[in-house]
Amino acid sequence: MSNIHHQDTDTLAALVAPYRKTGVTKRSEENIRQSVEELLAKMTLEEKIGQMSQCADSEFSFGADIEAAPTDVLVREGRVGSILGAFNSRRTFDLQKMAVEQSRLGIPLFFNADVIHGYQTIFPIPLAWASSWNMEQIREACVIAAREATASGITYNHGPMVDISRDARWGRVMEGAGEDPYLGSLIAKAQVEGFQGDSLFNEETLIACLKHFVAYGASEAGRDYNTVDISEWMLRNIYLPPFQAGLEAGSASVMNAFNFYNGIPIAGNKFILNDLLRKELGFDGMLISDYGAVDEIYIHGAARDRKEAAKLSLDASMDIEMVTQLYEQHLPALVAEGKIDIEQIDAAVRRILIYKYEIGLMDDPFRYIRPEKEVEYHFHPEHLQASLELARRSIVLLKNDRRILPLPQEGLLQGDMTVALIGPFADSKDMLGTWQFSRYKEETVTLREGLQAKGIADAALLYAQGSGVNEAIPGGIEQAVKTAREADMIVLALGEHSEMSGEAASRMDISIPAPQQRLAEELVKLGKPIVLVLTNGRPLVLDWYQEHVDAIVETWFLGSQAGHAIADVLLGDYNPSGKLTMSFPKHLGQTPIYYNRFNTGRPVTAENKDEKYISKYLDGPNEPLYPFGYGLSYTHFTYSALKLDRDIIKRGESITVRATVTNTGNVAGEETVQMYIQDLYGSTVRPVKELKGFHKIHLQPGQSTGVEFTITEQDLQYCNASLEWVAEPGEFKVYVGTSSVDVLERSFELI
Ligand code: NOJ
C-alpha cells in the first residue's frame, strides 16, 4: 500500500539496521537526571544554545524567509537540536547520522512536524472530527498518526492545537475543536493521550505539544496574527481550560501563541509563560516558540532590538527557538554581559535533554527511523478504515426537507433514476484540508469515486464541474444546467479549497465564493431537488442555501476516504450523527458568535423584541443559522421525562439528572445527548448556557433509553472576578437536549 519503492526501502532498511541498538531499556528518572547533568557539564555555551535552536529543513518554509546556514552545516556544527519538516526516513536518517557522527558531542536530533490530522493516512480536519463528539475515535486517529509519523523518524509533534475559536473568519478554526471549553478540554486530552500513549519511550509515540498558548483564537476580526485583548477573567474561563486538560494528560511540550497578552508578545511574556504556565499550572516540559515568534517580539515593537527580544524570550523561560537564530546570535553576549544567567540556559537545556533521554534517543538515536515500518504502516488498510469511520461520524446534516435524503439507492443502482453531480468538489481530490503533508494525495477518494464505488453506473450519475472554486469556467454553468436538466435530482458539491482555511487564511467574507454562488442560482431555477454537499474548513454563511436548497450536508475536509464517507451518508448506508462544535452565523455581521454568550443588561425576549433599546441588530436576528450542538439525523429523537433527583443541593453534594430519549423515526441512529447548565446569577455575569456533559447513544426505531448525568459542585464552578474557581450559591437551570437550543429544562438551587 505504499508508493515507496520496495527495493529502495530494502536498501534503506539495510542501511539503517546496523545503527539500531538492541536491548535498550527505559531509564529511571533518577538515572536520566544524573546523565543530563553529566552531559551538561561537557557542553560549551554554543552547544547548549544549539540544543535550544530549531531549524526548518531546507525545503520546509512557512512564513518569513529566514536566513540561516544550510541544515547540514547547522547539524554538523551542533548548532541545532531539532529539525522541523524532515518528512521521511531517508532524510531523518541522513540528518541523524550527521548529528551523531559529526557533531562534537553527537547528541541526537528531535525531528519535529505538524501532525495535525494524520500523517500519511489523513483523517478529517480537527474541526470536523470534533463534530463526532467521539473521544475514542479521535484518540485512535492520533494513535495512528503517531504510529505512521514515528516510522519516518519523527519524534516531536507540533500538535494538538487546542485554541478555542469563536470567529469563523479566522482560518485556523479548522485546526481546533471549536468554541466550547468543556468539549475542547475533552478533545485536547484525547489527542494528547493518543499521540503520547502510555509511555514516550514507546517508539510509536510522539511528543505532544499544546498550542498556541494562549488566546490566539481571540484574534480581532478573525485576522490571523492580529491583536488579542481579553481580560484575565475571560482567559481563565474560556481559553485556558483545554490547555489545563492537555497538561493534566501529560503533554510534554507547549508552543506559544503569536499574539500578545496585555501588550506583551507571548513569546516574551513572563506573566503568561513563567507565572501562569510554569508556576501556576506546573508545566516543566519543553516550551517552544512558534515559527519566528522570538524575532517577532522585535517586529511587534516590544523590544528595542533583536538582542532584547532574545533576552525577553529566555527570561520568559522559552526553551526552544523555532527557525530564527536570535538565541544563537545574542545569548553568548547576553551571558558575557551578565544580563542573563547561565543557569537560565542550563534549565532550558535540561528540559530538552531530559526528553531526549526519556524517549530513548540518547541510547538509540535511530530507533524511530524504520523504513520497513514506513512501508508497512503508511496508508495501511486498517488506518484507512479508521479514517473512514471517523469521517462518517464527522459529517453534519444541516437540513433535510421532505426527507429528500438519503437518496433512493435502489433507484440509482437500477438506473431508474439519475442524479446530476455538479460543482468544483464533485470530483475533487482536494478533500484533505490543510495541515497535512501526505504523499498520498492522489489516492484521496473523491465524491464521484465514492458514489461510483457504490455501484452507481455513469448513466445514473451525470457529472459536470460547472465552476472552479474561485473562478468561473467558460461555459461551465451552461454545461452544468444542461446536465442537471437530464437528471431527476442534483447533488451540488460546493465549498472552499483547502488553502482557504488554516494558517494565514482568514477571510472577510465567509460565504460560498461568487462563481459557485452563480452556479447554484442557475441550478435552483430548474426547480429540481437539490442536495448541497459542502467541503470547507470553517462555518460558512449559508442563509441563501438554507432557503433555496432541499438538503445541506456539511462534510468539512474529511481526509483520505472522504468520498466513501460522503457516499455512505448520501445513500443512507450511514445515518449522519455529527453535531456542530462552532455556531454557523446567519449573517457575517454576527461574527464572532457562540452559544455560551452572556445575557447583557438588555437581552431580547419574546415580549420586548420590537423595542429599540435592547441588544439586537436592526437588520437581522441575534441567533445563528445553526447553533452549537446542532446536527440532524435520518431518524428523529424525542426527549421526555427530564427529572432531577433533588432540587436543592449543598456543597459537596451532587444531583442526578435523568431523561428519556426515544427513537421515533424509522431507522436506527446515533444521538449525542447534551446536558447544559446555566448559573442564573453570580458575582460576575454567567453564560446563558454551558455544556457540562453528553452521552452518545444508539437506538433502533421505536427504542427508548434512559440517560443519566451527575452534576457535582465542580461542574458549577467558574473563575470569578478575584480569579478564583468557585461555585456560588444560587439558582441554576439544567437543560438536556439534542442541541444547545432544542432542550428540556429544570431548575435547582445550590445552598
Ligand atoms: C506556525 C504555526 O503557527 C504553528 O502552529 C506550526 O506548528 C509552525 N508554523 C510550524 O509549522
Side-chain angles (χ1 to χ4, degrees), residues 84 114 158 172 211-212 255 258 290-291 322 435 503:
L84 171 62
D114 292 274
H158 285 177
R172 302 201 78 164
K211 69 187 188 184
H212 306 82
M255 185 187 295
F258 283 123
D290 201 349
Y291 200 105
M322 195 193 300
W435 286 122
E503 187 178 352

Side-chain angles (χ1 to χ4, degrees), residues 211-229:
K211 69 187 188 184
H212 306 82
F213 198 77
V214 59
Y216 186 25
S219 269
E220 281 182 0
R223 176 153 59 81
D224 209 1
Y225 318 121
N226 198 16
T227 297
V228 168
D229 191 6

